[in-house]
């Protein structure tokens, strides 16, 4: 998954304001206690970050 796809999916599913806040402010245990942005900057695969968000927020499988 490319970074552009990540942001597009995040915005499509959560809306632009919530997506931005979630990615920068919410700490995910599945990402080692990092935010999504921190995890991506640390080199975690974007797909892994997206799936961690999907698990945390119960995104339907068809949208993952």
């Amino acid at each position: 998954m490319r970074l552009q796809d990540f942001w597009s999916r995040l915005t499509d599913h959560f809306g632009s304001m919530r997506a931005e806040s979630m990615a920068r402010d919410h700490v995910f245990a599945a990402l080692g206690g990092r935010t999504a942005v921190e995890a991506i900057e640390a080199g975690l695969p974007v797909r892994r970050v997206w799936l961690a968000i999907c698990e945390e927020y119960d995104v339907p499988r068809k949208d993952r």
Side-chain angles (χ1 to χ4, degrees):
M1 169 182 277
R2 295 181 330 189
L3 189 56
Q4 182 179 356
D5 295 331
F6 168 81
W7 284 109
S8 179
R9 287 182 187 206
L10 198 62
T11 300
D12 288 348
H13 192 77
F14 296 102
S16 61
M17 301 258 316
R18 186 170 180 212
E20 183 77 22
S21 175
M22 178 190 312
R24 299 195 184 285
D25 300 330
H26 185 90
V27 174
F28 295 87
L31 299 176
R34 299 180 181 117
T35 67
V37 170
E38 291 170 339
I40 291 168
E41 289 174 350
L44 270 68
V46 177
R47 179 79 177 155
R48 180 175 167 197
V49 174
W50 171 245
L51 291 176
I53 292 170
C54 290
E55 286 297 319
E56 183 89 11
Y57 287 94
D58 295 322
V59 173
R61 292 227 180 259
K62 66 178 180 68
D63 296 332
R64 295 180 185 199

